[in-house]
Every structure is written in C-alpha cells, then in structure tokens.
Amino acid sequence: MMAPPKFSLYSRVLVFNFHSQLLLVKHPKRGWEIPGGRVREKESIRLAAIREVKQKVGMNIKLIKYCGVFQDLRSHKCELLFIGKPISGRIAVGEEVDDAAYFPVDTAMRMISQRIVKQQIMYCLHEKRHPFIVEY
C-alpha cells in the first residue's frame, strides 16, 4: 500500500491599503515578498492567512477574495493566494521579517526578486483568471 502524498500548505495574502498600494514584507534571506506562511495542523487555510499577516506585521486584515493556488511539484508545496484589506492596526515589524511597508504595485514588482512571487501577484491581479491553479 502506498503512503499518501505529503504536501505543505501555505497561505499568502495580497493586502491592499486604501490607496491601492500593496503590502510587502522583507524576509532576511528571500527579500521582499507578500506576507504569508505555513498552515498549521488542524488550522483553517483562511485563518492561517489572517494569522500570518498579524504575526509578520501586527495588523488585522479581512480576506476579500480567494484567488487561486500555486503548486510546486518538486517541493510538494501548495500556496493558496488571497486578496485582503487592513481592518485595524498599523504596520509593526514582527516575526521573521526585517521590514514591511506599502508600495505602489509597479514599485513592488521591481523590488521583488523571486520570479514566482511576481507571477503570483500578476495572477491575483488578473481577475478573469480566478480561480487559478498553477503547477510548476
């Protein structure tokens, strides 16, 4: 009998402020990216997304929309992507990040070095693609 496949689930959120600027967090190794992280055992995917933003930047957010999923076939990682908005709190750098701030989307795209993160943002911004499944 084969063992069931093991996947790591991650929730990531494109958080937009009232000026339509995108929240980025600066990871010590990966550089600028959208906030998110691993879904814990017995935790809902949506609550994980909200918790991760709170942990990283100290803000409470509301999820507005589920956009889709990116699946890394080599590392068995699934990243579920949402769009959210802040509902309370101000940016206060928290766990696992060196910095955090809002940026216009075009500026944010130039700051991000990981190609896959840029691709995730582009898919989320293109509503006609929702919901999407991207395997890579």
Side-chain angles (χ1 to χ4, degrees):
M1 195 164 124
M2 288 179 53
K6 292 196 182 336
F7 289 93
S8 295
L9 280 182
Y10 290 78
S11 288
R12 300 212 174 277
V13 188
L14 279 72
V15 179
F16 289 97
N17 66 10
F18 301 109
H19 305 289
S20 298
Q21 295 175 315
L22 179 62
L23 176 66
L24 294 183
V25 295
K26 189 173 187 182
H27 186 273
K29 293 181 182 168
R30 296 185 302 264
W32 292 101
E33 60 188 13
I34 52 179
R38 188 185 296 258
V39 178
R40 295 175 178 161
E41 193 173 337
K42 298 182 181 175
E43 180 180 39
S44 89
I45 293 164
R46 288 182 321 211
L47 289 178
I50 293 166
R51 175 186 53 77
E52 283 289 341
V53 173
K54 176 83 171 172
Q55 273 181 230
K56 292 192 169 49
V57 297
M59 285 190 321
N60 294 306
I61 63 161
K62 178 180 182 178
L63 296 179
I64 304 299
K65 183 171 191 177
Y66 168 71
C67 300
V69 62
F70 270 60
Q71 181 182 5
D72 184 338
L73 298 169
R74 288 183 303 279
S75 71
H76 305 285
K77 181 166 126 178
C78 291
E79 295 181 282
L80 293 101
L81 295 143
F82 297 89
I83 292 176
K85 70 176 186 179
I87 54 172
S88 67
R90 292 181 177 269
I91 293 174
V93 176
E95 295 178 16
E96 305 165 19
V97 297
D98 290 340
D99 199 2
Y102 284 105
F103 299 96
V105 173
D106 58 339
T107 304
M109 293 297 274
R110 288 193 300 271
M111 294 170 66
I112 296 167
S113 58
Q114 297 177 77
R115 185 184 55 81
I116 198 69
V117 175
K118 291 181 184 187
Q119 193 177 3
Q120 289 172 342
I121 293 168
M122 293 307 294
Y123 269 77
C124 287
L125 294 177
H126 197 275
E127 283 195 51
K128 289 184 178 163
R129 290 184 172 164
H130 298 181
F132 52 77
I133 299 173
V134 178
E135 299 161 335
Y136 66 101

